[in-house]
Amino acid sequence: MGYEARMRAKADALREKGSAVILSVESSCDETAIAVVENGRVERANAIASQIDVHALYGGVVPEIASRMHVEAIDPLLDEALKQAGLSLSEIDAVAVTYGPGLVGALLTGVSWAKALAYAADKPLIPVNHIEGHVSANYVAHPDLEPPFVCLVASGGHSHIVNVTRYGSYELLGRTTDDAAGEAFDKVARVLNIPYPGGPLLDKLADEGDDHAYKFPHPHTPGKYDFSFSGLKTAVINQAHNLRQQGKEIDAKDWAASFRRCVVDLLVDKTLAAALDTGAKRVAVAGGVAANSLLRSELERRGKRAGLEVYIPPKRLCTDNAVMIGSAAFYRMMAGELAPLSLNALPALSMFG
């Protein structure tokens, strides 16, 4: 019996049992991560190697450097994750890996490594969409959460409002028509001379400012639940340049706070409108921007005021990690989805259709 036939039989047995311990790999950008997740809900291990200090020297992620650092970090992380979980590789039921979207070289590192590990250890291989992983972080953080619910996914490269109709099934309600929210945060941070990573540092600076000190435009979009951040970002940057050319000082704390308020209001307004219009009872948030302190507090406050149950993962599960991949993988495998050894990285992978 060949590898794929054996893995199908093993996966069938796991589905029959209804449980699995999955070792998951995430390498879509500049974090190398390996986790062990049980039944899609229980975090047994979470090992991460960050590259922030290296990329900070260049003001952003350098794809070639990211790929090389993944290669260096991934084997030691396997040992660390198994040690945290108190398990041997033979006690792992399956291997999961992010295969898109993301940086192609970074993705290829994880995909190639995971395929080799799965084959050598004779374990089923499960392919996971990175964005689905972000949504699934909520399952680990909130064991009582089940579909359906509406989820805002906001990160450096993505801004979506998703109707999670059931495990592994997603309806796109709204999306950015241009820049992502995290990208806008990073680019405005540069105007304020905030080093990489700009978004999290801008969030901290904004805590000390007056969020009504400056007025910025609220973009309009044809789609009721869509976002647009490019015009807002450009307007904010141009306004800063104009003030400086006039010899006027910009209060960085107030500027950061006012911009953060504008972006957060847009995200929360659209998300709650989508949830209420679709009759959702629950709303969640995911992605790197979900670590933004104002977004977390405003979604919690306004969502509950609107009569919705609000689910927010801890900050450590908002940024890229492999726990979220292991959670998504469990439900993919339970639905009968496995990857062949021909699995390839898909940098522009979509979660919809």
Side-chain angles (χ1 to χ4, degrees), residues 130-140 145 149 151-153 162 164 170 284-287 313 324 327 351:
H130 178 78
I131 305 305
E132 181 177 16
H134 276 303
V135 174
S136 302
N138 283 284
Y139 298 139
V140 178
L145 176 63
F149 60 93
C151 187
L152 167 66
V153 183
V162 181
V164 184
Y170 308 96
V285 65
M324 65 187 195
S327 177
M351 198 168 72

Side-chain angles (χ1 to χ4, degrees), residues 152-162 172-184 219-233 263 266-267 270 352:
L152 167 66
V153 183
S155 67
H158 305 274
S159 294
H160 298 99
I161 300 176
V162 181
L172 179 64
L173 301 178
R175 67 186 307 167
T176 180
T177 58
D178 38 60
D179 292 351
E183 181 182 359
H220 296 282
T221 55
K224 184 176 181 182
Y225 312 126
D226 288 340
F227 307 110
S228 174
F229 296 107
S230 179
L232 169 62
K233 172 202 68 182
V263 172
L266 287 168
L267 292 172
K270 300 271 188 171
F352 312 101

Side-chain angles (χ1 to χ4, degrees), residues 65 116 120:
I65 293 176

Side-chain angles (χ1 to χ4, degrees), residues 93-106:
D93 294 315
V95 176
V97 64
T98 302
Y99 73 114
L103 301 175
V104 64

Side-chain angles (χ1 to χ4, degrees), residues 15 28 123 140 158 212:
R15 283 194 296 275
S28 63
K123 307 292 183 182
V140 178
H158 305 274
H212 296 292

